[in-house]
């Protein structure tokens, strides 16, 4: 709530003048009173701080009143409506998903894959370059990313609570000050300053430390990141910027990681499996080479939400990506990614996907920088596991695999193992 202090003080000062005046009381217009009420009673959670979000997402008068009366009386709620209408901001469709990739949606997971490779199954030919040439910002997804507001789930941008005072007050109130500066002048540098101050406050208060799936304080970790993400999302809308600056992309990713903690440590029904995946996929779509993803959570949550081909594509894309080494967990991350490809792929594709992946790795080993002993051991283990898990899946799946396919899989694996063993 402290974020609002500076505006609140102005508002209270204005009140005091009005009320202590002995002459005729100056009556604020409904719109000015509505603005003041928004700042006092709504801006804690609504990071716009000025009601821009309510105007931009086209909420009807009835919806605004219905939501407002949870926080203010109904006369005040009506003044807030008057204020929001006075902003004259053109409205987007109510269910707009901010920064949704592509144009529109594809029908389902299979249509997503078909759009990428031209066939619903594994394609007869596929090159790594073809995969790298796909711009995730241009491809339509089979599901909608988070809407601005949804009462029924936490799969929306709106945070359930204000930024906690511990974060706002950390490091001498640096975050609070940066937010106040941004509010005075909503420039991109001020936004980035606020995000940097937020990161420092998080590093001081540490609600997000610990295992990804079990942060110290799952709810404050997620909600505070979502609050900042909503501030950044509105900034993009206000400025018309279509590619967010990297700190914003990182914030979107971190919000997804926060959502993982909320999913495992909070209320699982409100924090459905689709939520972490949607935040991470959004960030990933802007920077598919950027995130180390040691735990493979992006694919896990997208898969769990019912989109195995989307999940498989994220793993494939990362496997063939020459981007930064994801060194901390697996020195030769491409091998770890192969395991993820095989795990995420749907029943009718995982054998083909693995055979293709082994073939690609075999070629990659010929050009790869020298692998040290630890990297080679990790790569060997992953190369063995990818097939072991696939064979286990064959055992329990109702989808029949021909013995010839399984022999081809084992042969592809063995070529890679032989290549690894022969490295100098
Ligand atoms: C404690 C946090 C909080 C405060 C304070 C708050 N809101 Fe909200 N608001 C939310 C959340 C969270 C949502 C998203 C929907 C949901 O989860 O209920 C939301 C959604 C809305 C919506 C969209 C509702 C819909 O049907 O999608 C409107 C309109 C709205 N708020 C208006 C207001 C107004 C006006 C005030 C102040 C009088 C206010 N809110 C104060 C948290 C808050």
């Amino acid at each position: 709530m402290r974020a609002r202090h500076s505006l609140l003080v102005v508002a209270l000062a204005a009140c005091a003048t009005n009320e202590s005046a002995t002459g005729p009381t100056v009556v604020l217009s409904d719109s000015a009173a509505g603005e003041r009420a928004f700042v006092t009673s709504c801006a804690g959670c609504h990071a716009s701080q000025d009601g821009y979000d309510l105007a931009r997402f086209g909420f009807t008068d009835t919806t605004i009143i219905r939501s407002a009366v949870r926080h203010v009386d109904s006369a005040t709620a009506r003044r807030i409506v008057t204020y929001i209408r006075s902003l004259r901001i053109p409205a987007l469709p109510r269910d707009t998903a901010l920064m949704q990739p592509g144009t529109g949606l594809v029908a389902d997971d299979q249509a997503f894959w078909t759009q990428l490779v031209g066939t619903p199954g594994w394609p007869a030919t596929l090159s790594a370059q073809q995969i790298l040439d796909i711009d995730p910002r241009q491809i339509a997804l089979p599901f909608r990313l988070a809407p601005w507001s949804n009462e029924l789930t936490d799969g929306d941008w709106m945070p359930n609570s204000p930024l906690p005072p511990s974060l706002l007050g950390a490091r001498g109130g640096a975050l609070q000050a940066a937010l106040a500066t941004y509010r005075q002048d909503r420039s991109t540098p001020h936004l980035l300053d606020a995000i940097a101050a937020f990161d420092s406050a998080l590093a001081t208060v540490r609600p997000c430390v610990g295992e990804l799936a079990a942060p110290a304080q799952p709810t404050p970790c997620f909600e505070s990141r979502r609050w900042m993400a909503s501030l950044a999302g509105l900034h993009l809308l206000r400025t018309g910027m279509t590619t967010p600056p990297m700190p914003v992309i990182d914030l979107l990713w971190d919000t997804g990681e926060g959502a993982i903690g909320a999913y495992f440590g909070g209320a699982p029904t409100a924090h459905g499996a689709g939520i972490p995946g949607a935040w991470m996929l959004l960030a990933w779509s802007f920077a598919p080479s950027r995130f180390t993803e040691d735990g493979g959570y992006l694919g896990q949550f997208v898969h769990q939400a019912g989109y195995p081909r989307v999940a498989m594509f994220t793993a494939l894309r990362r496997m063939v990506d020459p981007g930064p080494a994801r060194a901390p967990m697996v020195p030769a991350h491409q091998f770890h990614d192969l395991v993820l490809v095989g795990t995420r792929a749907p029943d009718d594709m995982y054998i083909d996907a693995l055979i293709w992946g082994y073939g690609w790795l075999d070629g990659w080993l010929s050009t790869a920088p020298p692998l040290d002993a630890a990297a080679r051991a990790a790569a060997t283990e992953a190369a063995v596991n990818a097939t072991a898990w696939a064979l286990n899946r064959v055992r329990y799946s109702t989808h029949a695999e021909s013995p010839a396919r399984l022999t081809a899989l084992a042969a592809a694996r063995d070529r890679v193992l032989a290549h690894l063993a022969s490295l100098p």
Side-chain angles (χ1 to χ4, degrees):
M1 291 285 180
R2 281 199 224 159
R4 307 196 321 242
H5 274 186
S6 55
L7 279 175
L8 199 54
V9 169
V10 176
L12 290 176
C15 271
T17 324
N18 291 344
E19 279 154 23
S20 64
T22 45
T25 308
V26 180
V27 178
L28 285 173
S29 72
D30 275 0
S31 172
E35 177 176 14
R36 180 184 289 182
F38 188 89
V39 171
T40 312
S41 305
C42 317
C45 299
H46 289 264
S48 68
Q49 310 279 300
D50 62 357
Y52 176 90
D53 55 328
L54 299 192
R56 192 77 169 114
F57 288 98
F59 297 109
T60 63
D61 294 3
T62 322
T63 302
I64 296 176
I65 290 170
R66 172 174 56 69
S67 308
V69 292
R70 280 188 245 154
H71 311 279
V72 295
D73 63 40
S74 61
T76 307
R78 280 193 298 277
R79 287 187 203 106
I80 291 174
V81 169
T82 307
Y83 164 63
I84 300 296
R85 298 302 163 231
S86 78
L87 297 174
R88 306 204 175 285
I89 293 166
L92 293 166
R94 166 72 186 78
D95 60 348
T96 297
L98 274 187
M99 299 180 259
Q100 178 86 33
T103 45
L105 298 179
V106 284
D108 55 22
D109 192 52
Q110 194 167 65
F112 170 85
W113 178 251
T114 306
Q115 149 193 238
L116 299 183
V117 298
T119 163
W122 191 263
T125 61
L126 180 68
S127 71
Q129 195 55 48
Q130 244 174 294
I131 297 173
L132 286 171
D133 285 345
I134 296 168
D135 175 358
R137 287 303 304 161
Q138 304 302 324
I139 48 178
L141 295 173
F143 55 90
R144 223 178 260 287
L145 298 179
W148 187 253
S149 159
N150 182 341
E151 292 189 280
L152 303 179
T153 79
D154 275 322
D156 56 4
W157 285 74
M158 270 302 301
N160 290 339
S161 44
L163 284 177
S166 56
L167 284 180
L168 289 165
R171 301 189 177 225
L175 173 57
Q176 185 168 343
L179 288 170
T181 304
Y182 176 70
R183 210 154 46 221
Q184 300 293 318
D185 171 13
R186 291 191 173 92
S187 69
T188 301
H190 286 158
L191 176 75
L192 299 184
D193 286 348
I195 292 173
F198 175 72
D199 288 340
S200 304
L202 274 190
T204 307
V205 180
R206 297 160 61 80
C208 299
V209 291
E211 291 280 317
L212 256 186
Q217 300 170 3
T219 302
C221 173
F222 172 57
E223 294 293 352
S224 59
R225 282 172 166 170
R226 180 159 64 155
W227 196 101
M228 286 302 291
S230 73
L231 180 77
L234 290 171
H235 182 83
L236 298 180
L237 274 182
R238 288 185 204 258
T239 57
M241 199 185 282
T242 48
T243 301
M246 204 48 89
V248 171
I249 294 172
D250 288 341
L251 175 62
L252 298 171
W253 180 268
D254 291 348
T255 304
E257 292 197 336
I260 294 171
Y263 176 79
F264 287 115
T269 48
H271 296 284
I275 298 172
W279 285 104
M280 294 173 121
L281 196 67
L282 175 55
W284 176 88
S285 71
F286 285 109
S289 307
R290 183 165 177 82
F291 303 104
T292 59
E293 257 274 78
D294 300 328
Y297 281 116
L298 164 61
Q300 176 181 326
F301 279 97
V302 170
H303 190 182
Q304 217 173 315
Y307 305 100
R309 292 163 188 83
V310 179
M312 174 179 72
F313 173 61
T314 65
L316 262 180
R317 176 71 170 70
R318 210 180 33 236
M319 184 174 87
V320 300
D321 197 311
R326 287 169 278 271
M329 183 174 166
V330 179
H333 69 80
Q334 291 81 353
F335 287 81
H336 177 57
D337 293 332
L338 176 73
V339 174
L340 295 180
V341 167
T343 319
R344 305 299 173 227
D347 273 353
D348 63 341
M349 269 200 263
Y350 66 107
I351 303 289
D352 287 327
L354 286 174
I355 292 174
W356 185 90
Y358 280 121
W360 181 81
L361 284 171
D362 195 25
W364 179 77
L365 282 172
S366 305
T367 59
L371 298 182
D372 65 16
R376 223 181 310 169
T380 303
E381 191 185 328
V384 169
N385 282 342
T387 292
W389 290 346
L391 294 179
N392 204 40
R393 186 165 166 183
V394 170
R395 208 161 296 138
Y396 293 102
S397 164
T398 51
H399 185 85
E401 293 295 343
S402 76
R405 296 303 292 151
L406 300 182
T407 305
L409 175 64
R413 172 201 59 194
D414 290 347
R415 272 192 300 278
V416 168
L417 291 176
H419 200 154
L420 278 166
S422 73
L423 290 178

